[in-house]
Amino acid sequence: MKVLKFGGTSVASADVIRQVRDIVNHAESDRVAVVVSALGGVTDRLLETMDIASRQDAAYRKALKGIEDRHLEVVRELMPMKSQSGILSKVKSELNVLETLLDGAFYIGEITPRLSDRIVSFGELLSAFIISEYFTSSGLTAEFKDSRELLLTDQNHGKAAVDFKESNKRIREYFEQEKAAVVVLPGFIASSEDGNVTTLGRGGSDFTASIIAAALEAEELQIWTDVSGMYTANPKIVKQAKPIAHISYEEAMELSHFGAKVLYPPTVQPVLAKGLPILIKNTFEPDAPGTLITRKSPEEGRTVRGISYIPGISLLSLEGPGMIGIPGISKRFFEVLSMANISVVLITQASSEHSICIGIADEDAPRAIREIDKAFSYERSQGKIKPVAHEKDLAIIALVGDQMKNHQGLSGRMFSTLGKNNVNIRAIAQGASERNISAVIRKEDVKKALNTLHETFFEENIKQLNLFVLGTGNVGAKLLEQLRKQKKYLKDHLRLNVRVLGISNSRKMYFDEQGIPLQQWSDLLQKGLKADPKEFFKTIQHINARNSILVDNTASEKVAERYPQYLRESISVVTCNKIACSSAYRNYKQLKDLASQYRAPFLFETNVGAGLPIIDTLKNLVASGDEVREIKAVLSGSLNFVFDHFNEDTSFHDVVRQAQEEGYTEPDPKIDLSGIDVMRKILILARESGFQLELSEIENRSFLPEEALKTRDNDSFFAALKKHESSFQKLVKAAKAKKCKLKFVASLKDGKASVGLQHIPAGHDFYSLAGSDNIVLFYTKRYPKQPLIVKGAGAGADVTASGIFADIIRVGTY
Ligand code: ADP
Ligand code: ASP
Ligand code: MG
C-alpha cells in the first residue's frame, strides 16, 4: 500500500488530472490511497465567496458561478460523453447545497466557524468525487471514500485536533473491507463527534494523507506538488535554490514549521512514529528525483540544510523596572498566551529577566496585547511593568539543519551576511533543539535576506553582484559592453554573477529585477521612464537586492551628493566621478566612514589615472605600514596629450580641440587645461596617503591666460585659446631652448601639494611619457631613493571602464 497526495495545483485542470492518473497507474503498488486537495485556488475562492455573502453583498452569486463553471468544465473535459450527464448532475446537486449554505450566510449576514468549515469542505469533496469518477471511467478500479467518515476530530473548527485512536481504527477497518485497487479520498476535511464538518488547517491535505499512511503502515507516503521536492529555500523566492535529495524528519519538520509550505507542519509526526518514508515529488516533472524524508539523512556533511521564513510576524515585548522582583513573571506571561490559544513562534529572553520578547502571528497580536495588559494590570498600575510594546509586519527567517549544533560560527556567519546587506535584525533565537537559528527582520528585507543567506550557505561561493549604472556616455557604454563580454568569465573564474538591474542617463532610466539583457540595454533604456535621481535611488531601495552596487560614470555633482544615501543602505559605490573625493575633506571623510560603518565599499580607483592601479597601490602601501614621503606625477592624460602634440608647427587651439574630439578631455576641457582636474587628483592621492588637505590649499601655477580661465562656456574658451596662441608658443620655445619637454606635474611633499607646468630634461622619468599616459612616482619609507612607479594609459573610455570594472570585482571579492 502506498498513499499518494496531490495538491491543488496538481489537480487544477483536466490536463493535470490526466497526468495524475498516469502517476497513480505507475505507482508500483498493488493498492493505492489517493488523497486530493480542492482544485487549485478553490479553497481561497470559497473563503472569499462566503466572505462576500456574509457582508450581504449579492456579488457572492457571481463568485459562486465561477466556482461552479470551473468544476463543470473539468467534468466535461475529462469524462466521455456517455457518462458525463450522471456525473454533471451529481456535481450540480452538490453545488446546489453549497448555494443554499451561501444564501443562508447572505441572509443572516454572518459566517460561523462551523459554517465556514462546511462551506470549504465542498472544494475537496468535489475534486475527490470527480477524480474518482474519472479514474473509473478510464479503466482503473477506483472507489471514492468520504474522509469525514474516517477522520474524527474535536470541534475546533478551522484547525481541528485529530482523535488518532478512533480515526486509525476507522481507517484500518475501512481499508480491510474495501478491496478496490485505488481509493480516492478528499484531504483536509474531517468530522467531529457531533457530526459536523471540521477541517485540519490550511494546507491540511498533506496531514490527511499522512494520517492514513501511518494508520495503514503504508510502504511510503508520496506528496505530489508543483515543485521538485523540498528545496534549500522557497524556489519561488530564491531562484538558485535546489531540491534537497534526502533530509531527516526533524529537519523537514523544522523547515515546514518555519514556513516551507511544501509540507504542512503536522504532516511529519504520524509517519515519523512509524518510520515510514515520505517522498516529495513534482506532478509536472515526475522523473525528477524529489526529496526523500526518513529518520536519518545520509548527507551528514552539510550543516545548514535549508532556509525558511514565516511572514506576518509581530514582536511583543514586556519590559519594566520591576520585572526582576516579581516572581514567576514569565510563567504567568506564557500562561496568559496559552489560555488565549495564541501560539508563540519565537521567544527571546535576556538572561537578566529584564524583558521578555516573543514573536507571534500578526493577526494574534491585538488579542495577545489585550490579554497580557489585562493580566498585568496591577503591576502596570504600580509602574513596575510597561504596557506591551508591539512591532508588526516582520518576518522570521531560519537556518535549519540537524548538525548545526556541532558547528561553531554559523550564527556569526549568518549575522555578518545579513549585516553586510543592511538587513536590520530585530530579534534572534536559537531553537531549543539547536536545529535552527532564527532571526526576526522587516518583511521588506525577506527576499534579500533569503537570497544572500542562500548564497553564503549553499552556492559554493557564487556571489551575485547587482549593479545600478548611472551614465551611459563613452565610459558607461564601454563598461556595459565589457560586462556583457566578461559575464561568463566572471562566473567561471571569479565565481561572480554580475547583473545590471538598473541603468540611467540624464534622460531615461530603466530597471529589470531579473537583470537587464546587456545586448539590448540601449533600446530598453529608450523605452524606460523619465530619468530622476531621487526615483532612481528609491527604486533601488525598493528592489532591495543583495550586494547592490551603484556605478557612477558621470561627472555630476548632483549624483555625487547622493552617495551617503546609498552607503547608508549598504549599497556600495564605485565611481569615476572625482567630485565627491575632491570636495571638502569633511565629505570625503564622511563617505569613508559610512563605507566602513555599513560595510559597503566606496571605490574610486578611476579618479586618478583611469584604469591604472594607482589608488589601490597606494592603499596597499599604507595598509602594510609604509609611509608616503613624496609623490611626483603626471596625472592628466589630457594635458599630456596636448603637450605631446603641441609644437611650433601646430596651434594650441587645434590640439586641444583634437584632444576633446578624441575623448581625452572632460566634456568641459577647461577643467583639464586649467589644472583643476590635476589638483583634484593630487588632492585625492594626498588624502589617501593620510593628509587632511583641502583643494584650496593646493598651489596651482596655471599656464592659461586670465581671459581663458574666466570663460563660461566651451565656445568662448576655445576662442580665448585662439586669441592667446602666441603666449602658448612662448611656452614651447622656452622649453625647447633648454632642450626640455613641457609636462604638467603634480607633486606632494611634506603634506603640501602643488601643480604646474615644468621643464622636463631628457633622461627624467617623465621625459618620454607619450600620448595620454600617466605616471606616478611614490617615494616612501620603503622606496626612499628609487620610487615605486606606476605608469601607463591614463585616459580614454576603454581603460576608464576597465578600471571601474576592476573596482566592481574588488567589491565582489570584499
Ligand atoms: P500543494 O498545493 O501541492 O500542497 P503548496 O502550495 O502547499 O502545494 O506547497 C508548494 C509550494 O511551497 C511551492 O510552490 C513553493 O512555493 C512553496 N515552498 C516554500 N518553501 C519551500 C521549500 N523550501 N521547498 C519547496 N517549496 C517551498
Ligand atoms: N485545499 C486546502 C487548502 O487550500 C487544503 C490543502 O490544499 O492542503 O488549504
Ligand atoms: Mg500544500
Side-chain angles (χ1 to χ4, degrees):
M1 161 73 80
K2 283 186 184 171
V3 178
L4 275 61
K5 178 260 169 176
F6 294 88
T9 34
S10 301
V11 295
S13 68
D15 279 347
V16 223
I17 295 173
R18 286 194 195 99
Q19 169 78 3
V20 166
R21 184 200 172 278
D22 266 5
I23 293 169
V24 171
N25 202 24
H26 292 101
E28 293 178 1
S29 176
D30 52 343
R31 297 195 70 198
V32 185
V34 175
V35 176
V36 295
S37 290
L39 308 189
V42 164
T43 309
D44 287 336
R45 294 296 91 70
L46 286 164
L47 288 165
E48 280 159 25
T49 310
M50 71 174 97
D51 184 53
I52 302 173
S54 72
R55 283 188 268 114
Q56 303 198 303
D57 176 347
Y60 79 93
R61 295 204 181 99
K62 191 161 166 241
L64 176 63
K65 179 79 171 44
I67 296 172
E68 258 185 54
D69 291 349
R70 175 100 192 268
H71 287 91
L72 298 177
E73 189 187 317
V74 169
V75 174
R76 285 193 196 100
E77 281 185 35
L78 281 178
M79 294 297 172
M81 271 309 236
K82 58 180 176 9
S83 47
Q84 246 182 39
S85 66
I87 295 159
L88 281 174
S89 65
K90 179 86 198 302
V91 170
K92 271 191 188 145
S93 81
E94 285 293 317
L95 288 164
N96 287 341
V97 181
L98 172 62
E99 184 174 3
T100 313
L101 294 169
L102 286 164
D103 289 342
F106 173 72
Y107 288 116
I108 303 168
E110 181 190 354
I111 289 278
T112 61
R114 199 172 97 184
L115 182 56
S116 169
D117 271 357
R118 179 83 202 279
I119 292 175
V120 283
S121 73
F122 281 83
E124 266 70 9
L125 278 173
L126 287 168
S127 71
F129 171 71
I130 295 170
I131 290 165
S132 74
E133 289 295 332
Y134 164 63
F135 281 2
T136 311
S137 77
S138 67
L140 298 176
T141 29
E143 238 352 280
F144 166 83
K145 178 66 184 171
D146 187 341
S147 312
R148 291 177 299 179
E149 293 163 20
L150 301 181
L151 294 185
L152 181 73
T153 67
D154 66 7
Q155 295 171 22
N156 184 18
H157 288 283
K159 197 170 185 175
V162 175
D163 175 343
F164 280 94
K165 201 160 161 235
E166 180 59 26
S167 305
N168 288 345
K169 184 166 147 275
R170 292 184 189 176
I171 293 166
R172 282 185 206 122
E173 280 172 7
Y174 168 74
F175 278 88
E176 260 159 36
Q177 56 80 32
E178 175 56 63
K179 296 293 174 227
V182 180
V183 177
V184 182
L185 307 102
F188 183 51
I189 61 174
S191 60
S192 59
E193 193 86 57
D194 53 6
N196 286 306
V197 185
T198 55
T199 56
L200 305 180
R202 292 304 307 271
S205 296
D206 297 345
F207 195 27
T208 308
S210 161
I211 296 166
I212 294 173
L216 301 175
E217 301 196 4
E219 291 161 57
E220 187 172 76
L221 166 62
Q222 297 181 358
I223 304 281
W224 290 81
T225 181
D226 59 353
V227 288
S228 299
M230 190 167 234
Y231 280 60
T232 46
N234 185 346
K236 303 258 163 77
I237 302 180
V238 179
K239 290 276 172 303
Q240 315 292 336
K242 296 273 172 325
I244 307 169
H246 198 155
I247 192 170
S248 75
Y249 289 127
E250 284 78 10
E251 287 169 328
M253 222 170 349
E254 199 88 4
L255 278 171
S256 72
H257 272 292
F258 278 84
K261 186 183 164 221
V262 63
L263 204 60
Y264 182 54
T267 306
V268 177
Q269 205 64 48
V271 291
L272 176 151
K274 295 276 169 58
L276 314 176
I278 307 176
L279 185 61
I280 304 182
K281 294 276 287 177
N282 189 347
T283 307
F284 303 87
E285 237 186 288
D287 294 333
T291 297
L292 181 64
I293 309 174
T294 59
R295 213 157 253 155
K296 262 178 100 59
S297 137
E299 294 175 43
E300 295 278 302
R302 276 229 121 107
T303 48
V304 181
R305 303 306 309 280
I307 307 169
S308 51
Y309 81 103
I310 316 176
I313 293 290
S314 276
L315 270 187
L316 302 189
S317 32
L318 191 67
E319 270 184 68
M323 269 180 65
I324 313 171
I326 311 169
I329 255 240
S330 45
K331 181 164 169 278
R332 273 168 64 204
F333 181 84
F334 289 107
E335 261 168 16
V336 172
L337 295 166
S338 133
M339 295 293 282
N341 224 340
I342 288 167
S343 78
V344 176
V345 198
L346 170 140
I347 307 170
T348 57
Q349 179 171 21
S351 50
S352 68
E353 289 201 21
H354 228 104
S355 72
I356 311 173
C357 177
I358 55 160
I360 60 175
D362 275 336
E363 62 267 22
D364 289 340
R367 203 154 49 88
I369 294 168
R370 242 183 348 237
E371 296 296 328
I372 298 165
D373 280 345
K374 199 159 74 193
F376 291 98
S377 61
Y378 173 73
E379 285 83 356
R380 270 199 303 127
S381 69
Q382 301 281 301
K384 289 185 171 168
I385 287 182
K386 294 192 217 158
V388 178
H390 176 207
E391 204 178 334
K392 61 178 179 182
D393 287 335
L394 303 168
I396 296 177
I397 41 169
L399 295 188
V400 171
D402 278 342
Q403 297 305 315
M404 283 176 32
K405 56 180 173 293
N406 301 327
H407 285 77
Q408 311 299 318
L410 284 176
S411 46
R413 240 171 114 199
M414 173 176 184
F415 300 129
S416 73
T417 302
L418 294 175
K420 267 190 200 171
N421 277 285
N422 204 23
V423 175
N424 187 10
I425 298 168
R426 307 289 310 111
I428 296 169
Q430 174 142 24
S433 65
E434 294 192 46
R435 206 169 276 125
N436 104 40
I437 309 172
S438 26
V440 180
I441 61 173
R442 291 186 320 146
K443 76 167 190 243
E444 292 80 5
D445 286 335
V446 164
K447 189 172 166 201
K448 179 162 76 172
L450 289 176
N451 277 285
T452 185
L453 288 174
H454 196 268
E455 198 168 74
T456 301
F457 291 100
F458 292 99
E459 290 171 34
E460 331 238 279
N461 302 327
I462 282 256
K463 188 167 175 183
Q464 189 178 86
L465 300 184
N466 293 307
L467 310 190
F468 297 89
V469 176
L470 271 176
T472 58
N474 289 342
V475 173
K478 274 278 183 274
L479 175 69
L480 291 168
E481 184 189 323
Q482 290 177 7
L483 289 171
R484 178 175 61 79
K485 288 192 181 147
Q486 291 308 105
K487 187 160 175 78
K488 187 165 167 356
Y489 181 92
L490 290 175
K491 211 169 201 168
D492 294 349
H493 297 268
L494 295 178
R495 325 269 319 144
L496 292 176
N497 177 16
V498 182
R499 312 185 312 159
V500 177
L501 307 194
I503 301 182
S504 176
N505 56 24
S506 54
R507 297 168 301 279
K508 294 276 186 180
M509 58 183 193
Y510 180 78
F511 293 93
D512 182 344
E513 286 189 43
Q514 301 311 317
I516 298 174
L518 290 183
Q519 302 85 332
Q520 286 147 264
W521 71 263
S522 176
D523 293 342
L524 292 168
L525 184 61
Q526 293 299 321
K527 295 185 200 128
L529 302 168
K530 188 171 172 304
D532 176 345
K534 195 162 157 205
E535 283 305 311
F536 192 74
F537 171 73
K538 272 188 153 161
T539 311
I540 297 174
Q541 204 180 19
H542 177 76
I543 291 177
N544 204 4
R546 66 189 183 283
N547 309 326
S548 290
I549 308 176
L550 173 78
V551 182
D552 178 10
N553 305 309
T554 72
S556 152
E557 193 168 343
K558 286 259 168 331
V559 173
E561 275 167 8
R562 287 185 184 271
Y563 294 167
Q565 252 180 346
Y566 283 91
L567 293 170
R568 281 199 182 93
E569 295 287 323
S570 293
I571 297 168
S572 306
V573 175
V574 167
T575 178
C576 62
N577 182 347
K578 286 182 263 302
I579 294 188
C581 286
S582 59
S583 63
Y585 183 81
R586 188 168 36 82
N587 286 342
Y588 163 85
K589 179 78 171 51
Q590 184 203 24
L591 291 168
K592 290 244 147 182
D593 290 347
L594 287 174
S596 83
Q597 186 183 348
Y598 290 92
R599 290 198 276 177
F602 167 50
L603 299 179
F604 42 86
E605 178 61 83
T606 46
N607 280 5
V608 182
L612 294 178
I614 295 174
I615 294 178
D616 200 46
T617 303
L618 180 51
K619 267 191 190 153
N620 290 337
L621 288 175
V622 174
S624 65
D626 205 349
E627 267 169 38
V628 175
R629 292 182 176 160
E630 188 176 356
I631 295 177
K632 281 194 208 153
V634 175
L635 293 174
S636 170
S638 335
L639 284 173
N640 205 42
F641 178 94
V642 168
F643 286 105
D644 211 39
H645 287 73
F646 178 46
N647 53 44
E648 289 154 304
D649 308 323
T650 54
S651 97
F652 193 73
H653 166 276
D654 293 354
V655 172
V656 174
R657 181 66 92 192
Q658 183 192 351
Q660 188 202 30
E661 275 161 11
E662 290 183 19
Y664 288 121
T665 68
E666 300 278 326
D668 171 2
K670 200 172 83 180
I671 296 187
D672 292 309
L673 275 284
S674 64
I676 285 280
D677 188 59
V678 176
M679 282 167 75
R680 286 179 180 159
K681 287 172 178 166
I682 192 71
L683 177 71
I684 295 169
L685 293 185
R687 287 175 173 176
E688 289 290 304
S689 308
F691 298 104
Q692 203 171 319
L693 211 66
E694 297 291 354
L695 195 68
S696 57
E697 294 171 298
I698 299 177
E699 184 192 354
N700 180 2
R701 300 182 300 269
S702 180
F703 62 87
L704 281 187
E706 265 315 284
E707 190 183 342
L709 277 174
K710 283 197 177 128
T711 55
R712 289 181 174 275
D713 55 53
N714 284 357
D715 286 346
S716 36
F717 178 67
F718 276 104
L721 293 189
K722 207 165 226 162
K723 188 168 157 200
H724 291 275
E725 181 64 29
S726 62
S727 75
F728 300 122
Q729 285 297 338
K730 254 189 231 150
L731 294 173
V732 185
K733 288 203 179 85
K736 203 176 168 196
K738 290 206 236 157
K739 294 202 166 48
C740 283
K741 281 193 181 176
L742 283 171
K743 298 283 167 195
F744 197 81
V745 176
S747 46
L748 172 77
K749 193 168 186 187
D750 304 328
K752 291 210 166 50
S754 64
V755 304
L757 264 189
Q758 288 184 14
H759 291 165
I760 304 294
H764 190 285
D765 284 316
F766 294 170
Y767 187 81
S768 54
L769 201 66
S772 64
D773 281 7
N774 276 196
I775 183 165
V776 183
L777 315 181
F778 290 109
Y779 293 89
T780 70
K781 202 167 75 185
R782 289 191 199 129
Y783 296 90
K785 297 240 159 55
Q786 287 303 317
L788 175 64
I789 303 180
V790 185
K791 180 181 164 187
D798 230 345
V799 286
T800 306
S802 69
I804 296 172
F805 195 103
D807 271 349
I808 293 170
I809 291 168
R810 281 185 194 109
V811 177
T813 49
Y814 166 72

